[in-house]
Amino acid sequence: MQSKKNPKVFVTRPHMPPLDSFNHLLKEIWSTKVLTNNGPFVTTLENQLADYLEVPHISLYSNGTLALIAALHALNIEGEVITTPYSFVATSHALWWNNIKPIFVDIDPDTFCLDPGKIEEAITEKTTAILPVHVYGRPCKAAQIQRIAQKHGLKVIYDAAHAFGVKQGGQSVLLEGDLSILSFHATKVYNTIEGGAVVCRTAEMKNKLSQLRNFGFVNEVRVLRPGINAKMNELQAAYGLLQLETIDQQIANRKQKTLLYKSLLKDVAGIRCYEDLENVQYNYGYFPILVESAVYGKERDALYYYLQQKNIFGRRYFYPLISEFEPYNQLPSSSTGNLPIAYDISRKVICLPMYFELEDKLIIEICTSIADFSVQNS
Ligand SMILES: Cc1ncc(COP(=O)(O)O)c(C=O)c1O
């Protein structure tokens, strides 16, 4: 007899606020009819997020990609920018939209983030900035990156799309570099359906970023810069305010699931989990494993498709590398020889399902399947 399959389990599932609470705020929006253009919910969310994240200023955007495009523009970044191939493709696309050439540098095998030891050799007279990514919310080696940036007069813009609420040594990682961007896409730990933000230090920069997201308008009759339309709307912001009420509970819940996964996988030979650092407060947004096929006995993709047969839809984040996609694969820095660690990790990684409502019994089933497959005859 065939065993009954679980319903499809995806890598993530958004946590949503109670519908009644959202309806309550929608009624308010319906009565004021303020839908967008820096309305009261956006302003309140900006203040509450800055408090929650312990950062001086936040400018909300309609999504993380536009936040990154605007952040690069706000700092007048041009020429070449050193970045990582091991990220979501939006990281490099934001450079492309600013007419900037990405220069890919390999990643650090411990953090999976840009390797500071390889940055300097990639700097040329055209380099103006470094764009690292806190992949899976694991902090980059920011102190080293900052030293290099200072030595060469470069700006640092962090793609912190995964790093909502992450702290190192008690301080938000969003305070590193010149600017950081966040994504509040539905797949993220903290979501506003679609959404994003730029985190900055001064009111002046916040002002500039808030003008940039609104066509460059300074006031009714003055357009100072060629801005874009990247405004967060009031419905997104109202939803975001409700999300903030439960975010600590959501992160604690993910931590418990992470610990369960780790305890169940610790004796499966050939499956590597990430070791948390003691001084880091993570958000547990992702649960990546590395499949060391020589030890595990099966290839990563074989496991990936085996899990799919069981209705477990993990994701191979980040495979292929950004540098392998057509807009970038002809760049000299995209060669596999230049990016051996990123290439290797991208061929080993699977992100397993991780979300608030994921039941422990499913985590147990997933881990049992992973252990069983290792010893199955091919
Ligand atoms: C690392 C990274 N950068 C940028 C983005 C783009 O964010 P958004 O989808 O909000 O535009 C994402 C995710 O979607 C991401 O994972």
Side-chain angles (χ1 to χ4, degrees):
M1 201 177 74
Q2 257 204 326
S3 62
K4 209 168 129 264
K5 267 195 192 177
N6 287 312
K8 285 186 178 173
V9 178
F10 295 103
V11 72
T12 191
R13 196 172 179 190
H15 183 70
M16 297 171 74
L19 191 53
D20 283 349
S21 315
F22 192 44
N23 269 334
H24 188 71
L25 299 187
L26 287 180
K27 277 191 189 138
E28 210 174 309
I29 294 173
W30 254 245
S31 75
T32 62
K33 305 211 187 304
V34 178
L35 295 177
T36 186
N37 286 32
N38 215 20
F41 283 111
V42 163
T43 311
T44 307
L45 184 59
E46 281 185 339
N47 292 335
Q48 288 199 12
L49 278 173
D51 282 350
Y52 177 81
L53 296 169
E54 297 177 11
V55 297
H57 298 283
I58 280 195
S59 180
L60 286 175
Y61 271 70
S62 51
N63 60 61
T65 306
L66 285 167
L68 184 52
I69 290 173
L72 292 161
H73 186 84
L75 293 174
N76 302 318
I77 307 300
E78 56 182 13
E80 294 179 357
V81 167
I82 289 170
T83 190
T84 169
Y86 193 79
S87 178
F88 183 61
V89 72
T91 309
S92 287
H93 281 357
L95 295 171
W96 191 93
W97 278 87
N98 276 291
N99 203 20
I100 296 164
K101 184 175 175 186
I103 304 294
F104 296 111
V105 160
D106 208 1
I107 59 171
D108 175 304
D110 300 331
T111 60
F112 300 1
C113 302
L114 202 56
D115 183 346
K118 302 208 174 113
I119 292 176
E120 279 196 285
E121 64 204 45
I123 296 174
T124 71
E125 71 281 359
K126 293 191 186 141
T127 312
T128 56
I130 307 170
L131 172 55
V133 181
H134 300 296
V135 179
Y136 313 131
R138 297 173 188 183
C140 294
K141 292 181 174 164
Q144 278 171 266
I145 293 174
Q146 198 54 40
R147 270 198 296 278
I148 297 165
Q150 250 152 15
K151 183 171 156 197
H152 296 273
L154 306 176
K155 299 277 189 214
V156 185
I157 299 98
Y158 278 96
D159 180 339
H162 302 175
F164 186 92
V166 174
K167 290 184 177 169
Q168 186 158 32
Q171 183 182 287
S172 170
V173 297
L174 304 172
L175 295 170
E176 301 292 354
D178 295 278
L179 293 174
S180 289
I181 71 97
L182 287 160
S183 165
F184 305 147
H185 182 255
T187 51
K188 301 293 186 280
V189 170
Y190 172 81
N191 86 82
T192 59
I193 310 171
E194 292 271 2
V198 187
V199 174
C200 60
R201 293 213 181 77
T202 64
E204 198 186 349
M205 179 54 83
K206 175 173 166 153
N207 210 15
K208 185 172 186 178
L209 288 160
S210 301
Q211 288 168 8
L212 276 173
R213 74 182 178 196
N214 186 29
F215 310 98
F217 275 106
V218 178
N219 57 38
E220 221 181 15
V221 291
R222 187 164 178 225
V223 171
L224 185 57
R225 320 166 197 285
I228 199 163
N229 183 359
K231 302 184 294 292
M232 179 178 274
N233 69 50
E234 288 290 280
L235 280 75
Q236 284 171 282
Y239 179 102
L241 281 170
L242 296 174
Q243 293 286 59
L244 209 46
E245 290 176 6
T246 59
I247 189 68
D248 286 336
Q249 191 194 340
Q250 292 181 51
I251 292 173
N253 167 292
R254 285 168 175 273
K255 178 174 184 177
Q256 175 265 322
K257 290 180 165 63
T258 300
L259 295 176
L260 179 60
Y261 263 128
K262 281 191 174 176
S263 71
L264 294 168
L265 291 173
K266 75 176 186 324
D267 295 326
V268 183
I271 298 295
R272 254 173 65 199
C273 302
Y274 177 69
E275 291 299 325
D276 288 351
L277 298 174
E278 267 187 15
N279 67 342
V280 176
Q281 190 179 311
Y282 295 93
N283 64 20
Y284 306 97
Y286 298 82
F287 189 77
I289 56 167
L290 294 188
V291 182
E292 301 287 356
S293 57
V295 183
Y296 181 67
K298 300 278 191 330
E299 295 297 324
R300 183 273 307 268
D301 284 356
L303 173 60
Y304 178 69
Y305 291 118
Y306 174 77
L307 291 174
Q308 286 195 355
Q309 282 168 26
K310 296 185 165 283
N311 267 351
I312 308 296
F313 291 83
R315 290 295 298 268
R316 291 168 291 183
Y317 294 141
F318 288 99
Y319 163 84
L321 299 172
I322 300 178
S323 47
E324 293 180 81
F325 290 125
E326 277 150 83
Y328 307 108
N329 66 10
Q330 298 306 312
L331 295 171
S333 65
S334 294
S335 71
T336 315
N338 187 45
L339 308 166
I341 310 279
Y343 190 84
D344 181 54
I345 305 271
S346 73
R347 265 69 187 166
K348 291 179 175 168
V349 72
I350 303 179
C351 285
L352 297 178
M354 173 54 72
Y355 51 88
F356 187 82
E357 289 160 14
L358 182 67
E359 292 175 53
D360 285 0
K361 78 172 182 10
L362 260 170
I363 297 181
I364 295 167
E365 274 182 48
I366 293 167
C367 295
T368 308
S369 297
I370 294 172
D372 289 352
F373 187 54
S374 156
V375 292
Q376 261 179 32
N377 293 327
S378 303

